[in-house]
Amino acid sequence: MSAELDRRKRHAVDVSLDDLPTLQLEDVADESEGTLVARGAAYAKEYAVVQGKATTLLKNLAVTQVALRVKYDDMRGQSGAYRAVVADMYAGLGLPEERVDQMQATVRYHIGNIIRRHMTPRELEEAGLRPETPIERQRDERAARAIVLQAHKVTKAVEESTPPPRSRKKAEGDNSAQPAGHVVKATADHLRLAEVALNMLGKFDRNVIKTHMTDGQRAQLDKELRDMERRIASLRKLTQKPSSKG
């Protein structure tokens, strides 16, 4: 192993960012294996260093913008004065608009995390800001997507395990009409579907409903919830034991 490292060191490639050209395949076609490996390792190392510095720079840029929001008493960053001074900050960069947009999107992500470390829940609520950090929202969004995907899979499984209407009529009162394994799978799928439905309801964010929805959106959600209640009540008639008569 040490002999291999020594061989690579002898073929070390100097990678400098001061005047870094874009390589073409013909530029390295005649290089030896050792030189190519050393060159690749040097580029990878330099990239890691640059990425680390870039993250720190963007976090520091986010701190300056949070400080500006404090000075303008505008923690949401929506006032004309704040927007103008930040626009001036980026105006002289001389970068393509797409790169500036990407940079600002990353900075806003860091701003969201910084603000929620320095403001109390009450201050966030008064400013009209959600208490969750962007990191927490990303985690919640991933969990919500996973639940939706699971719901799709379980729903499909239930549809496949449920007999068509004609077969269902034949099966009424005659459990032998379907294989035992099919019945077991169908019942298990229905229990999984109920579990998924409960998990999805657990993902509703009270703060979003209370603070961020419009009156029309809340009315639409209320209608959907009423429909859910009716369907649940109808299904519970099948799951509850009949009351004993005298």
Side-chain angles (χ1 to χ4, degrees):
M1 178 65 72
S2 59
E4 174 66 15
L5 289 175
D6 289 340
R7 183 173 70 82
R8 292 184 182 182
K9 287 179 181 178
R10 286 197 299 272
H11 294 280
V13 177
D14 180 27
V15 176
S16 173
L17 292 181
D18 295 335
D19 187 22
L20 185 63
T22 300
L23 282 180
Q24 302 298 326
L25 183 58
E26 52 267 23
D27 296 332
V28 296
D30 295 331
E31 290 186 356
S32 66
E33 178 186 340
T35 301
L36 289 171
V37 170
R39 180 184 290 279
Y43 286 141
K45 181 178 179 181
E46 192 66 30
Y47 178 78
V49 171
V50 170
Q51 287 294 95
K53 290 179 180 178
T55 299
T56 300
L57 289 170
L58 291 178
K59 285 182 178 179
N60 290 346
L61 177 54
V63 170
T64 66
Q65 291 187 212
V66 172
L68 284 168
R69 291 189 182 195
V70 172
K71 288 185 179 297
Y72 283 96
D73 191 22
D74 176 25
M75 298 313 295
R76 290 176 64 87
Q78 294 184 336
S79 68
Y82 171 80
R83 287 177 177 269
V85 74
V86 170
D88 287 342
M89 182 188 298
Y90 287 94
L93 296 179
L95 294 174
E97 184 177 350
E98 182 180 341
R99 286 195 61 190
V100 174
D101 289 343
Q102 291 173 349
M103 182 188 300
Q104 289 179 314
T106 305
V107 169
R108 283 194 294 271
Y109 173 85
H110 292 308
I111 286 173
N113 292 323
I114 293 167
I115 282 176
R116 285 159 182 81
R117 285 200 298 268
H118 291 278
M119 293 179 69
T120 66
R122 179 182 291 274
E123 289 171 338
L124 289 169
E125 183 177 0
E126 290 174 351
L129 294 168
R130 296 174 59 175
E132 305 88 358
T133 67
I135 293 174
E136 291 169 336
R137 287 201 296 273
Q138 282 187 346
R139 189 184 307 124
D140 290 342
E141 287 168 3
R142 284 195 296 269
R145 284 196 296 270
I147 289 175
V148 171
L149 180 59
Q150 183 187 15
H152 175 73
K153 290 180 178 178
V154 174
T155 301
K156 185 176 180 181
V158 170
E159 290 174 350
E160 292 173 350
S161 64
T162 302
R166 183 176 299 176
S167 300
R168 225 174 6 243
K169 285 182 179 179
K170 182 186 289 187
E172 287 178 2
D174 182 9
N175 290 332
S176 63
Q178 294 188 58
H182 187 90
V183 174
V184 170
K185 182 179 185 306
T187 56
D189 286 340
H190 276 68
L191 291 173
R192 288 176 59 207
L193 191 60
E195 180 182 3
V196 169
L198 181 60
N199 288 339
M200 293 184 75
L201 287 173
K203 288 301 176 183
F204 279 87
D205 188 325
R206 292 175 177 270
N207 186 59
V208 170
I209 297 172
K210 177 182 176 182
T211 308
H212 299 287
M213 277 189 166
T214 65
D215 290 343
Q217 289 170 332
R218 275 191 290 269
Q220 178 63 30
L221 178 59
D222 186 62
K223 177 182 178 301
E224 300 289 349
L225 293 173
R226 285 200 309 272
D227 289 344
M228 289 183 202
E229 284 182 334
R230 283 194 288 267
R231 294 196 181 195
I232 290 172
S234 175
L235 290 171
R236 291 194 66 203
K237 290 179 181 178
L238 305 176
T239 61
Q240 294 173 333
K241 291 182 179 180
S243 56
S244 58
K245 296 181 180 179

